């Protein structure tokens, strides 16, 4: 059924509430404009250049264009495309409609929908992007940094993922997922998990070199999807994660429900 898609505006401060704008500039806690909700939210840390908040407290979703410049993004894309031994795996819902690879620090096992991803040594190109993210984000979303990456390869004119929320049980207090897009742009959609937002879906085009950040309680309240749209080219998504080393080995149990993964 068609939905009324609400695209995240690129310039969201067309508000007439000048007093709110002044508070935003002067507040120590940094009131920030939330594009998808038409309101302000408290964000007690500095944003990255051109970072735009799409969903605010108690969740956090933002979009950062040009986190990697186009030359660097293209170089990483070509290296991963040509050097990674891609796999197509089967989860509890069937064969996945994409190729994957998983890298991480020792002990950073990622389990979801019947799959247990054991970390392979980092690909140098992906590790370099991980290091840049950790240096840039610091501990603004929690104490644990990015320790792993599920790399998803959506092939040319193929690959998609339906509505889902990510499995976050091993992601620590940060609950952090950062998707860095390489190759072709594709569009991501978000809607509330309670079923009340089917008529108003948030839409964001993920451009090459961009970073799409989800943290805090986002997965508890929102679903997201990446459909296959006409003309979609090959996209490699580095979905970096704040996996706590050793968590799955110590606490992991089988979990069922509507949960797949990938951005």
């Amino acid at each position: 059924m068609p939905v009324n898609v609400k695209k995240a505006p690129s310039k969201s401060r067309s508000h007439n509430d000048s007093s709110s704008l002044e508070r935003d500039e002067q507040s120590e806690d940094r009131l920030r404009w939330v594009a998808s909700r038409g309101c302000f939210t408290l964000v007690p840390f500095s944003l990255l250049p051109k970072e735009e908040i799409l969903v605010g407290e108690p969740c956090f979703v933002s979009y950062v264009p040009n986190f990697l410049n186009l030359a660097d993004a293209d170089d990483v894309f070509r290296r991963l495309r040509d050097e990674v031994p891609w796999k197509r795996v089967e989860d509890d819902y069937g064969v996945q409609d994409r190729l994957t690879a998983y890298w991480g620090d020792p002990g950073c096992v990622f389990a979801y929908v019947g799959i247990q991803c054991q970390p392979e040594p980092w690909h140098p190109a992906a590790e370099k992007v991980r290091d840049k993210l950790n240096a840039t984000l610091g501990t603004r979303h929690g104490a644990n940094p990015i320790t792993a990456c599920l790399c998803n390869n959506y092939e040319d004119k193929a690959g998609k993922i339906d509505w889902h929320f990510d499995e976050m049980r091993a992601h620590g207090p940060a609950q952090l997922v950062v998707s860095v897009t390489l190759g072709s742009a594709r569009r991501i959609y978000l809607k509330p998990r309670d079923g009340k937002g089917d008529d108003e879906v948030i839409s964001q085009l993920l451009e090459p070199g961009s970073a799409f950040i989800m943290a805090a309680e986002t997965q508890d309240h929102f679903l997201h999807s990446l459909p296959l749209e006409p003309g979609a080219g090959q996209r490699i998504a580095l979905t970096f994660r704040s996996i706590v080393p050793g968590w799955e080995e110590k606490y992991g149990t089988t979990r069922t429900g509507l949960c797949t993964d990938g951005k």
Side-chain angles (χ1 to χ4, degrees):
M1 182 178 69
V3 294
N4 178 23
V5 175
K6 185 172 184 178
K7 296 183 178 180
S10 57
K11 295 182 179 180
S12 50
R13 298 198 178 192
S14 58
H15 233 35
N16 294 323
D17 188 351
S18 59
S19 63
S20 293
L21 290 173
E22 290 173 2
R23 288 202 314 273
D24 179 44
E25 294 173 353
Q26 297 173 4
S27 171
E28 181 178 352
D29 285 327
R30 299 178 183 275
L31 282 163
R32 295 293 183 178
W33 181 252
V34 180
S36 66
R37 296 183 179 178
C39 63
F40 286 91
T41 189
L42 285 172
V43 180
F45 49 74
S46 298
L47 298 182
L48 305 181
K50 299 184 179 180
E51 183 174 9
E52 180 176 20
I53 297 178
L54 304 180
V55 179
E57 57 188 353
C59 309
F60 185 88
V61 179
S62 73
Y63 179 70
V64 185
N66 303 315
F67 177 75
L68 299 178
N69 64 51
L70 289 179
D72 288 344
D74 185 62
D75 178 65
V76 177
F77 170 76
R78 292 175 184 276
R79 290 192 60 187
L80 297 180
R81 181 195 62 188
D82 297 339
E83 298 173 8
V84 171
W86 299 103
K87 301 177 182 178
R88 191 180 301 276
V89 302
E90 183 175 359
D91 60 33
D92 287 344
Y93 297 90
V95 178
Q96 293 186 346
D97 197 13
R98 64 187 180 189
L99 303 172
T100 61
Y102 182 70
W103 311 298
D105 296 345
C108 291
V109 176
F110 179 38
Y112 69 103
V113 290
I115 300 173
Q116 190 173 79
C117 299
Q118 298 289 337
E120 297 288 338
W122 283 93
H123 186 286
E127 186 174 28
K128 186 175 180 179
V129 180
R130 186 275 293 265
D131 292 345
K132 180 177 180 179
L133 275 171
N134 277 337
T136 302
L137 295 178
T139 58
R140 76 176 204 179
H141 294 290
N144 52 317
I146 291 167
T147 57
C149 177
L150 180 64
C151 188
N152 301 315
N153 183 350
Y154 300 90
E155 298 172 283
D156 184 42
K157 299 180 178 62
K160 63 181 178 63
I161 190 159
D162 296 326
W163 290 110
H164 68 287
F165 62 91
D166 283 10
E167 173 58 77
M168 301 300 290
R169 67 190 187 194
H171 286 63
Q175 296 288 286
L176 180 62
V177 179
V178 182
S179 181
V180 175
T181 292
L182 308 169
S184 296
R186 293 206 187 188
R187 190 171 290 278
I188 194 170
Y189 298 88
L190 297 94
K191 67 178 181 180
R193 279 180 62 175
D194 59 14
K196 298 178 181 179
D198 287 350
D199 61 340
E200 190 169 287
V201 177
I202 302 169
S203 166
Q204 176 65 57
L205 183 66
L206 304 178
E207 301 167 298
S210 67
F212 185 78
I213 301 173
M214 296 187 288
E217 298 180 23
T218 300
Q219 306 302 330
D220 294 331
H221 296 281
F222 282 87
L223 301 174
H224 54 282
S225 69
L226 192 95
L228 178 60
E229 297 180 323
Q234 184 178 14
R235 172 180 178 261
I236 292 177
L238 292 164
T239 61
F240 293 98
R241 300 177 172 277
S242 59
I243 301 289
V244 175
W247 196 98
E248 281 296 334
E249 292 91 333
K250 188 173 183 179
Y251 303 108
T253 57
T254 302
R255 179 173 175 176
T256 59
L258 176 61
C259 173
T260 59
D261 178 80
K263 267 52 70 204

